Amino acid sequence: DVQMTQSPSSVSASVGDRVTITCRASQDISDWLAWYQHKPGEPPRLLIYAASTLQSGVPSRFSGSGSGTDFTLTITNLQPEDFATYYCQQANSFPPPFGPGTKVDIK
Amino acid sequence: DVQLVESGGGLVHPGGSLRLSCEVSGFIFSRFGMSWLRQAPGKGLEWVSGISGNGDVTYYADSVKGRFTISRDNSKNTLFLQMNSLRADDTAVYHCAKDWGIVVPVPMGNWFDPWGQGTLVTVSS
């Protein structure tokens, strides 16, 4: 099975900052990758699919890139509502593994 | 609006059983695969099980294979998860989610959106 890793595990940032989260797959997954945002008490929210396609309704300050084994989620101009945990997920086989998550908190 | 509402969670003793339900509205239920996913306390997200639109094909995580059964009733727009032989490490919030990908002939493009609010399953003596 494909394994997913993420770095960093946590990051402290301020409103207005640019935050970059990296996700790595243990084997080539082409662009079969999704990113989710998860806040306590809420269901996870799909942000990006197919590595770089923004889900409808997601602000354009979120962007995704990468293919193969290395992927990046970038949040530009961080907003107060963006403090959350972010997960990547491989999406071309079952079981579809998630990365361990990256918590973005307030500096 | 698409809505997914889970129910059926609760406190159960180790070895016990629970049946979760997920009532869906706002899209043509039978046209989409569905999945159950969970988050244990203090842990990350974990996919549990998936099912094709017509219910003929099912998949399970190794951790639940042989103990959990996913099913659906397309006439009632409802997804189910029968959980037997429950263990302490099954304690989690369980979410149902719409699967945008395909399951047959092979899983592909399986990103999940939206997710239901979740139902808490606690396995404890």
Side-chain angles (χ1 to χ4, degrees):
Chain A
D1 292 353
V2 177
Q3 309 294 322
M4 309 300 291
T5 58
Q6 285 181 236
S7 61
S9 57
S10 65
V11 57
S12 295
S14 301
V15 172
D17 283 355
R18 176 188 177 104
V19 172
T20 299
I21 299 168
T22 297
C23 175
R24 177 164 289 175
S26 60
Q27 63 191 63
D28 189 338
I29 61 169
S30 185
D31 64 351
W32 296 109
L33 187 98
W35 289 98
Y36 298 85
Q37 176 191 65
H38 192 199
K39 299 179 184 178
E42 297 183 12
R45 176 194 184 193
L46 177 67
L47 298 175
I48 287 169
Y49 61 92
S52 61
T53 302
L54 204 63
Q55 174 66 332
S56 175
V58 174
S60 59
R61 63 181 179 272
F62 291 91
S63 64
S65 65
S67 67
T69 60
D70 294 312
F71 303 87
T72 299
L73 173 69
T74 300
I75 313 169
T76 56
N77 188 21
L78 194 71
Q79 295 299 296
E81 59 268 31
D82 301 336
F83 292 98
T85 300
Y86 294 85
Y87 295 91
C88 62
Q89 178 229 324
Q90 176 262 108
N92 72 333
S93 67
F94 279 174
F98 288 81
T102 295
K103 186 176 182 180
V104 178
D105 59 21
I106 301 172
K107 183 184 287 185
Chain B
D1 265 9
V2 174
Q3 286 200 328
L4 295 84
V5 180
E6 302 95 339
S7 60
L11 174 64
V12 62
H13 291 161
S17 297
L18 277 177
R19 190 191 197 204
L20 306 184
S21 299
C22 169
E23 294 188 31
V24 169
S25 60
F27 65 96
I28 302 174
F29 183 59
S30 61
R31 290 189 180 178
F32 290 89
M34 296 289 295
S35 276
W36 287 98
L37 306 101
R38 68 185 180 185
Q39 184 176 36
K43 303 292 186 181
L45 302 175
E46 180 189 17
W47 175 86
V48 174
S49 181
I51 189 168
S52 61
N54 63 7
D56 285 354
V57 180
T58 59
Y59 292 87
Y60 298 93
D62 286 345
S63 58
V64 307
K65 201 172 294 183
R67 300 187 300 122
F68 290 11
T69 302
I70 191 171
S71 62
R72 62 193 297 160
D73 184 340
N74 285 347
S75 69
K76 296 181 178 178
N77 285 2
T78 304
L79 176 73
F80 302 101
L81 186 68
Q82 177 66 44
M83 305 187 296
N84 299 331
S85 303
L86 282 161
R87 311 184 306 218
D89 62 359
D90 294 317
T91 294
V93 175
Y94 285 74
H95 299 270
C96 59
K98 178 183 178 185
D99 183 346
W100 283 90
I102 64 171
V103 176
V104 179
V106 292
M108 191 168 292
N110 307 103
W111 24 80
F112 307 108
D113 183 67
W115 300 45
Q117 190 68 28
T119 186
L120 176 62
V121 172
T122 303
V123 184
S124 174
S125 54

Coordinates of all heavy atoms in Angstrom, one line a residue, chain B residues 26-99:
Chain B
G26 N -30.0 15.7 -1.6 CA -29.4 16.7 -2.4 C -28.6 16.3 -3.6 O -28.1 17.1 -4.4
F27 N -28.5 14.9 -3.9 CA -27.9 14.4 -5.1 C -28.5 13.0 -5.4 O -29.1 12.4 -4.5 CB -26.4 14.4 -5.0 CG -25.8 13.4 -4.0 CD1 -25.4 12.2 -4.3 CD2 -25.7 13.8 -2.6 CE1 -24.8 11.3 -3.4 CE2 -25.1 13.0 -1.7 CZ -24.7 11.7 -2.1
I28 N -28.2 12.6 -6.6 CA -28.8 11.3 -7.0 C -27.9 10.2 -6.3 O -26.8 9.8 -6.9 CB -28.8 11.1 -8.5 CG1 -29.7 12.2 -9.1 CG2 -29.4 9.8 -8.9 CD1 -29.7 12.3 -10.6
F29 N -28.3 9.7 -5.2 CA -27.5 8.8 -4.4 C -27.0 7.6 -5.1 O -25.8 7.3 -5.0 CB -28.4 8.4 -3.2 CG -27.8 7.5 -2.1 CD1 -26.7 8.0 -1.4 CD2 -28.2 6.3 -1.8 CE1 -26.1 7.2 -0.5 CE2 -27.6 5.5 -0.9 CZ -26.5 6.0 -0.2
S30 N -27.8 7.0 -5.9 CA -27.4 5.7 -6.6 C -26.3 5.9 -7.6 O -25.7 4.9 -8.0 CB -28.6 5.1 -7.3 OG -29.1 5.9 -8.2
R31 N -26.0 7.1 -8.0 CA -25.0 7.4 -9.0 C -23.5 7.5 -8.4 O -22.6 7.6 -9.2 CB -25.3 8.6 -9.8 CG -26.5 8.5 -10.7 CD -26.7 9.7 -11.6 NE -27.8 9.5 -12.5 CZ -28.2 10.4 -13.3 NH1 -27.6 11.6 -13.4 NH2 -29.3 10.2 -14.1
F32 N -23.4 7.5 -7.1 CA -22.2 7.8 -6.5 C -21.7 6.7 -5.5 O -22.6 6.2 -4.7 CB -22.2 9.1 -5.7 CG -22.3 10.3 -6.7 CD1 -23.5 10.8 -7.1 CD2 -21.1 10.9 -7.1 CE1 -23.6 11.9 -7.9 CE2 -21.2 12.0 -8.0 CZ -22.4 12.5 -8.4
G33 N -20.5 6.4 -5.5 CA -19.9 5.6 -4.5 C -19.9 6.4 -3.2 O -20.0 7.6 -3.2
M34 N -19.9 5.7 -2.1 CA -19.9 6.3 -0.8 C -18.8 5.6 0.1 O -18.5 4.4 -0.2 CB -21.2 6.1 -0.1 CG -22.4 6.9 -0.8 SD -22.3 8.6 -0.6 CE -22.5 8.9 1.1
S35 N -18.4 6.3 1.1 CA -17.4 5.7 2.0 C -17.7 6.1 3.4 O -18.4 7.1 3.7 CB -16.0 6.2 1.7 OG -15.4 5.4 0.6
W36 N -17.2 5.3 4.3 CA -17.1 5.6 5.8 C -15.6 5.9 6.1 O -14.7 5.2 5.7 CB -17.6 4.5 6.6 CG -19.1 4.3 6.6 CD1 -19.8 3.4 5.8 CD2 -20.1 5.0 7.3 NE1 -21.1 3.5 6.0 CE2 -21.3 4.5 7.0 CE3 -20.0 6.0 8.3 CZ2 -22.5 4.9 7.6 CZ3 -21.2 6.5 8.9 CH2 -22.4 5.9 8.5
L37 N -15.4 7.0 6.9 CA -14.1 7.3 7.3 C -14.2 7.6 8.8 O -15.3 7.9 9.3 CB -13.6 8.5 6.6 CG -13.6 8.4 5.0 CD1 -14.7 9.1 4.4 CD2 -12.3 8.9 4.5
R38 N -13.1 7.6 9.5 CA -13.2 7.9 11.0 C -11.9 8.6 11.4 O -10.9 8.7 10.8 CB -13.3 6.5 11.7 CG -12.1 5.6 11.7 CD -12.3 4.3 12.3 NE -11.2 3.4 12.3 CZ -11.2 2.1 12.7 NH1 -12.3 1.6 13.3 NH2 -10.1 1.4 12.7
Q39 N -12.1 9.2 12.6 CA -11.0 9.9 13.3 C -11.0 9.5 14.8 O -12.0 9.9 15.5 CB -11.1 11.4 13.2 CG -9.8 12.1 13.8 CD -9.8 13.6 13.6 OE1 -10.8 14.2 13.6 NE2 -8.6 14.1 13.4
A40 N -10.1 8.7 15.2 CA -9.9 8.4 16.6 C -9.5 9.6 17.4 O -8.8 10.5 16.8 CB -9.0 7.2 16.8
P41 N -9.7 9.6 18.7 CA -9.3 10.7 19.5 C -7.8 11.0 19.4 O -7.0 10.1 19.6 CB -9.7 10.3 21.0 CG -10.8 9.3 20.8 CD -10.5 8.6 19.5
G42 N -7.5 12.2 19.1 CA -6.1 12.6 19.0 C -5.3 12.1 17.8 O -4.1 12.2 17.7
K43 N -6.0 11.4 16.9 CA -5.4 10.8 15.7 C -5.9 11.5 14.4 O -6.7 12.4 14.4 CB -5.8 9.3 15.7 CG -5.4 8.5 16.9 CD -3.9 8.4 17.1 CE -3.6 7.5 18.2 NZ -2.1 7.3 18.4
G44 N -5.3 11.0 13.3 CA -5.6 11.6 12.0 C -6.8 10.9 11.4 O -7.5 10.1 12.0
L45 N -7.1 11.2 10.1 CA -8.2 10.7 9.4 C -7.8 9.3 8.8 O -6.7 9.0 8.4 CB -8.6 11.6 8.2 CG -8.9 13.0 8.6 CD1 -9.1 13.9 7.4 CD2 -10.2 13.0 9.5
E46 N -8.8 8.4 8.9 CA -8.6 7.0 8.4 C -9.8 6.6 7.6 O -11.0 6.7 8.0 CB -8.4 6.0 9.5 CG -8.2 4.6 9.1 CD -8.2 3.6 10.3 OE1 -8.7 4.0 11.4 OE2 -7.8 2.5 10.1
W47 N -9.6 6.1 6.4 CA -10.7 5.5 5.5 C -11.0 4.2 6.1 O -10.1 3.4 6.4 CB -10.2 5.5 4.1 CG -11.2 4.8 3.2 CD1 -12.3 5.3 2.5 CD2 -11.1 3.4 2.8 NE1 -12.9 4.4 1.8 CE2 -12.2 3.2 1.9 CE3 -10.3 2.3 3.1 CZ2 -12.5 2.0 1.3 CZ3 -10.6 1.1 2.5 CH2 -11.6 0.9 1.7
V48 N -12.3 3.8 6.2 CA -12.7 2.6 6.8 C -13.3 1.6 5.7 O -12.9 0.4 5.7 CB -13.8 2.8 7.8 CG1 -14.4 1.5 8.4 CG2 -13.2 3.7 9.0
S49 N -14.2 2.1 4.9 CA -14.9 1.2 3.9 C -15.5 2.0 2.8 O -15.9 3.2 3.0 CB -15.9 0.4 4.7 OG -16.6 -0.5 3.8
G50 N -15.6 1.4 1.6 CA -16.3 2.1 0.5 C -17.2 1.1 -0.2 O -17.0 -0.1 -0.2
I51 N -18.1 1.7 -1.0 CA -19.1 0.9 -1.7 C -19.5 1.6 -3.0 O -19.5 2.8 -3.1 CB -20.4 0.7 -0.8 CG1 -21.3 -0.3 -1.4 CG2 -21.1 2.0 -0.5 CD1 -22.4 -0.8 -0.5
S52 N -19.7 0.8 -4.0 CA -20.1 1.3 -5.3 C -21.5 1.9 -5.3 O -22.3 1.6 -4.4 CB -19.9 0.2 -6.4 OG -20.8 -0.8 -6.1
G53 N -21.9 2.6 -6.4 CA -23.2 3.2 -6.4 C -24.3 2.2 -6.4 O -25.4 2.5 -5.7
N54 N -24.2 1.0 -7.0 CA -25.2 0.0 -7.0 C -25.1 -1.0 -5.8 O -25.9 -1.8 -5.6 CB -25.3 -0.7 -8.3 CG -24.1 -1.5 -8.6 OD1 -23.2 -1.6 -7.8 ND2 -24.0 -2.1 -9.8
G55 N -24.0 -0.8 -5.0 CA -23.8 -1.6 -3.9 C -23.2 -3.0 -4.1 O -23.0 -3.8 -3.2
D56 N -22.8 -3.2 -5.4 CA -22.3 -4.6 -5.7 C -20.8 -4.8 -5.3 O -20.4 -5.9 -5.1 CB -22.4 -4.8 -7.2 CG -23.8 -5.1 -7.7 OD1 -24.7 -5.3 -6.8 OD2 -24.0 -5.2 -8.9
V57 N -20.1 -3.7 -5.2 CA -18.7 -3.8 -4.9 C -18.4 -3.0 -3.6 O -18.8 -1.9 -3.4 CB -17.8 -3.2 -6.1 CG1 -16.3 -3.3 -5.7 CG2 -18.1 -3.9 -7.4
T58 N -17.6 -3.7 -2.7 CA -17.3 -3.1 -1.4 C -15.8 -3.3 -1.2 O -15.2 -4.2 -1.7 CB -18.1 -3.7 -0.3 OG1 -17.8 -5.2 -0.3 CG2 -19.6 -3.5 -0.5
Y59 N -15.3 -2.3 -0.4 CA -13.9 -2.4 0.0 C -13.8 -2.1 1.5 O -14.6 -1.3 2.0 CB -13.1 -1.3 -0.8 CG -12.9 -1.5 -2.2 CD1 -13.9 -1.1 -3.1 CD2 -11.8 -2.2 -2.7 CE1 -13.7 -1.3 -4.5 CE2 -11.6 -2.4 -4.1 CZ -12.6 -2.0 -5.0 OH -12.5 -2.2 -6.3
Y60 N -12.7 -2.6 2.1 CA -12.5 -2.4 3.6 C -11.1 -2.2 3.9 O -10.2 -2.8 3.2 CB -13.0 -3.7 4.3 CG -14.5 -4.0 4.2 CD1 -14.9 -4.8 3.2 CD2 -15.4 -3.3 5.0 CE1 -16.3 -5.1 3.0 CE2 -16.8 -3.6 4.8 CZ -17.2 -4.4 3.8 OH -18.5 -4.7 3.6
A61 N -10.8 -1.4 4.9 CA -9.5 -1.3 5.4 C -9.1 -2.6 6.1 O -10.0 -3.3 6.7 CB -9.4 -0.2 6.4
D62 N -7.9 -3.0 6.1 CA -7.5 -4.2 6.8 C -7.9 -4.3 8.3 O -8.2 -5.3 8.8 CB -6.0 -4.4 6.7 CG -5.5 -4.8 5.3 OD1 -6.4 -5.2 4.5 OD2 -4.3 -4.7 5.0
S63 N -7.9 -3.1 8.9 CA -8.2 -3.0 10.3 C -9.6 -3.4 10.7 O -9.9 -3.7 11.8 CB -7.9 -1.6 10.9 OG -8.7 -0.7 10.2
V64 N -10.5 -3.4 9.7 CA -11.9 -3.7 10.0 C -12.5 -4.9 9.1 O -13.6 -5.3 9.3 CB -12.8 -2.5 9.7 CG1 -12.3 -1.3 10.5 CG2 -13.0 -2.2 8.2
K65 N -11.6 -5.4 8.2 CA -12.1 -6.5 7.4 C -12.5 -7.7 8.2 O -11.8 -8.1 9.1 CB -11.0 -6.8 6.4 CG -11.4 -7.6 5.2 CD -10.2 -7.7 4.2 CE -9.7 -6.4 3.7 NZ -8.6 -6.5 2.7
G66 N -13.7 -8.2 7.8 CA -14.2 -9.4 8.6 C -15.1 -9.0 9.8 O -15.7 -9.9 10.3
R67 N -15.0 -7.8 10.2 CA -15.8 -7.3 11.3 C -16.9 -6.3 10.9 O -17.9 -6.3 11.6 CB -14.9 -6.7 12.4 CG -13.8 -7.6 12.9 CD -13.0 -7.0 14.1 NE -12.4 -5.7 13.7 CZ -12.6 -4.6 14.3 NH1 -13.4 -4.4 15.3 NH2 -11.9 -3.5 13.9
F68 N -16.6 -5.5 10.0 CA -17.5 -4.4 9.5 C -18.1 -4.8 8.2 O -17.4 -5.4 7.3 CB -16.8 -3.1 9.4 CG -16.4 -2.4 10.7 CD1 -16.4 -3.1 11.9 CD2 -15.9 -1.1 10.7 CE1 -16.0 -2.5 13.1 CE2 -15.5 -0.5 11.9 CZ -15.5 -1.2 13.1
T69 N -19.3 -4.4 7.9 CA -20.0 -4.6 6.6 C -20.7 -3.3 6.2 O -21.5 -2.7 6.9 CB -21.0 -5.7 6.7 OG1 -20.4 -6.9 7.2 CG2 -21.7 -5.9 5.4
I70 N -20.3 -2.8 5.0 CA -20.9 -1.6 4.5 C -22.0 -2.1 3.5 O -21.9 -3.1 2.8 CB -19.9 -0.8 3.7 CG1 -20.4 0.6 3.3 CG2 -19.3 -1.5 2.5 CD1 -19.4 1.6 2.8
S71 N -23.1 -1.3 3.5 CA -24.2 -1.6 2.6 C -25.0 -0.3 2.3 O -24.7 0.7 3.0 CB -25.2 -2.7 3.2 OG -25.7 -2.2 4.4
R72 N -25.9 -0.4 1.4 CA -26.7 0.8 1.1 C -28.1 0.4 0.6 O -28.3 -0.7 0.1 CB -26.0 1.7 0.0 CG -25.8 1.0 -1.3 CD -24.8 1.8 -2.2 NE -25.3 3.1 -2.5 CZ -24.6 4.1 -3.0 NH1 -23.3 4.0 -3.1 NH2 -25.1 5.3 -3.3
D73 N -29.1 1.3 0.8 CA -30.4 1.2 0.4 C -30.7 2.4 -0.5 O -31.0 3.5 0.0 CB -31.4 1.1 1.5 CG -32.8 0.8 1.1 OD1 -33.1 1.0 -0.1 OD2 -33.6 0.4 1.9
N74 N -30.6 2.2 -1.8 CA -30.7 3.3 -2.7 C -32.2 3.8 -2.8 O -32.4 4.9 -3.2 CB -30.2 2.9 -4.1 CG -28.7 2.9 -4.2 OD1 -28.0 3.4 -3.3 ND2 -28.2 2.3 -5.3
S75 N -33.1 2.9 -2.4 CA -34.5 3.4 -2.4 C -34.8 4.4 -1.3 O -35.8 5.1 -1.3 CB -35.5 2.2 -2.3 OG -35.4 1.6 -1.0
K76 N -33.9 4.3 -0.2 CA -34.1 5.2 0.9 C -32.9 6.2 1.1 O -32.8 6.9 2.1 CB -34.2 4.3 2.2 CG -35.5 3.4 2.2 CD -35.6 2.6 3.5 CE -36.8 1.8 3.5 NZ -36.9 1.0 4.7
N77 N -32.1 6.2 0.1 CA -30.9 7.2 0.1 C -30.2 7.1 1.4 O -29.8 8.1 2.1 CB -31.4 8.6 -0.1 CG -31.8 8.9 -1.5 OD1 -31.7 8.1 -2.4 ND2 -32.2 10.2 -1.7
T78 N -29.9 5.8 1.8 CA -29.2 5.6 3.1 C -28.1 4.6 3.0 O -28.2 3.6 2.3 CB -30.2 5.1 4.1 OG1 -31.3 6.0 4.2 CG2 -29.6 4.9 5.5
L79 N -27.0 5.0 3.6 CA -25.8 4.2 3.7 C -25.7 3.6 5.1 O -26.1 4.3 6.1 CB -24.6 5.1 3.4 CG -23.2 4.5 3.5 CD1 -22.9 3.5 2.4 CD2 -22.1 5.6 3.6
F80 N -25.1 2.4 5.2 CA -25.0 1.7 6.5 C -23.6 1.2 6.8 O -22.9 1.0 5.8 CB -26.0 0.5 6.6 CG -27.4 0.9 6.3 CD1 -28.0 0.6 5.1 CD2 -28.2 1.4 7.3 CE1 -29.3 0.9 4.9 CE2 -29.5 1.7 7.1 CZ -30.1 1.5 5.9
L81 N -23.3 1.1 8.0 CA -22.1 0.4 8.4 C -22.4 -0.5 9.6 O -22.7 0.0 10.7 CB -20.9 1.4 8.8 CG -19.6 0.7 9.1 CD1 -19.0 0.1 7.8 CD2 -18.6 1.7 9.6
Q82 N -22.4 -1.8 9.4 CA -22.6 -2.8 10.5 C -21.3 -3.1 11.1 O -20.4 -3.5 10.4 CB -23.3 -4.0 10.0 CG -23.5 -5.1 11.0 CD -24.5 -4.7 12.1 OE1 -25.5 -4.1 11.8 NE2 -24.2 -5.0 13.4
M83 N -21.1 -2.8 12.4 CA -19.9 -3.0 13.1 C -20.0 -4.1 14.1 O -20.8 -3.9 15.1 CB -19.4 -1.7 13.7 CG -19.3 -0.5 12.7 SD -18.6 1.0 13.4 CE -19.8 1.4 14.6
N84 N -19.3 -5.2 13.9 CA -19.4 -6.3 14.9 C -18.0 -6.5 15.5 O -17.0 -5.9 15.1 CB -19.8 -7.6 14.2 CG -21.2 -7.5 13.6 OD1 -22.0 -6.8 14.1 ND2 -21.4 -8.2 12.5
S85 N -18.0 -7.2 16.6 CA -16.7 -7.5 17.3 C -15.9 -6.2 17.6 O -14.7 -6.2 17.3 CB -15.9 -8.5 16.5 OG -16.6 -9.7 16.3
L86 N -16.6 -5.2 18.1 CA -15.9 -3.9 18.3 C -14.8 -4.0 19.3 O -14.9 -4.7 20.3 CB -16.9 -2.9 18.7 CG -17.8 -2.4 17.5 CD1 -19.1 -1.7 17.9 CD2 -16.9 -1.4 16.6
R87 N -13.8 -3.2 19.1 CA -12.6 -3.2 19.9 C -12.4 -1.7 20.4 O -12.9 -0.8 19.8 CB -11.3 -3.6 19.2 CG -11.5 -5.0 18.4 CD -10.3 -5.5 17.8 NE -9.6 -4.6 16.9 CZ -9.1 -4.9 15.7 NH1 -9.2 -6.2 15.3 NH2 -8.5 -4.1 15.0
A88 N -11.6 -1.6 21.4 CA -11.3 -0.2 22.0 C -10.7 0.7 20.9 O -11.0 1.9 20.9 CB -10.4 -0.3 23.2
D89 N -9.9 0.1 20.0 CA -9.3 1.0 19.0 C -10.2 1.3 17.8 O -9.8 2.0 16.9 CB -8.0 0.4 18.5 CG -8.2 -1.0 17.8 OD1 -9.3 -1.5 17.7 OD2 -7.1 -1.5 17.3
D90 N -11.5 0.9 17.9 CA -12.5 1.4 17.0 C -13.2 2.6 17.5 O -14.0 3.2 16.7 CB -13.6 0.3 16.8 CG -13.1 -1.0 16.1 OD1 -12.3 -0.8 15.1 OD2 -13.4 -2.1 16.5
T91 N -12.8 3.1 18.7 CA -13.4 4.3 19.2 C -13.0 5.5 18.3 O -11.8 5.7 18.1 CB -12.9 4.5 20.6 OG1 -13.4 3.5 21.5 CG2 -13.3 5.9 21.2
A92 N -14.0 6.2 17.8 CA -13.7 7.3 16.9 C -15.0 8.0 16.5 O -16.1 7.5 16.8 CB -13.1 6.7 15.6
V93 N -14.8 9.1 15.9 CA -16.0 9.8 15.2 C -16.0 9.2 13.8 O -15.0 9.2 13.1 CB -15.8 11.3 15.2 CG1 -16.9 11.9 14.3 CG2 -15.8 11.9 16.6
Y94 N -17.2 8.7 13.4 CA -17.3 8.1 12.1 C -18.1 9.0 11.2 O -19.2 9.5 11.6 CB -18.1 6.7 12.2 CG -17.2 5.6 12.8 CD1 -16.9 5.6 14.1 CD2 -16.7 4.6 12.0 CE1 -16.1 4.6 14.6 CE2 -15.9 3.6 12.5 CZ -15.6 3.6 13.8 OH -14.8 2.6 14.3
H95 N -17.5 9.3 10.0 CA -18.2 10.1 9.0 C -18.5 9.3 7.8 O -17.7 8.5 7.4 CB -17.2 11.2 8.6 CG -16.7 12.1 9.6 ND1 -17.4 13.3 10.0 CD2 -15.6 12.1 10.4 CE1 -16.7 13.9 10.9 NE2 -15.6 13.2 11.2
C96 N -19.6 9.6 7.2 CA -19.9 9.1 5.8 C -19.5 10.3 4.9 O -19.5 11.5 5.2 CB -21.3 8.7 5.6 SG -22.6 10.0 5.9
A97 N -19.2 9.9 3.6 CA -18.8 10.9 2.7 C -19.1 10.4 1.3 O -19.1 9.2 1.0 CB -17.3 11.2 2.8
K98 N -19.4 11.4 0.4 CA -19.7 11.1 -1.0 C -18.3 11.0 -1.7 O -17.4 11.8 -1.5 CB -20.4 12.3 -1.6 CG -20.8 12.3 -3.0 CD -21.5 13.6 -3.5 CE -21.8 13.6 -4.9 NZ -22.3 14.9 -5.3
D99 N -18.3 9.9 -2.5 CA -17.0 9.6 -3.2 C -17.2 10.1 -4.7 O -18.1 9.7 -5.4 CB -16.8 8.1 -3.2 CG -15.5 7.7 -3.8 OD1 -14.9 8.5 -4.6 OD2 -15.1 6.5 -3.6

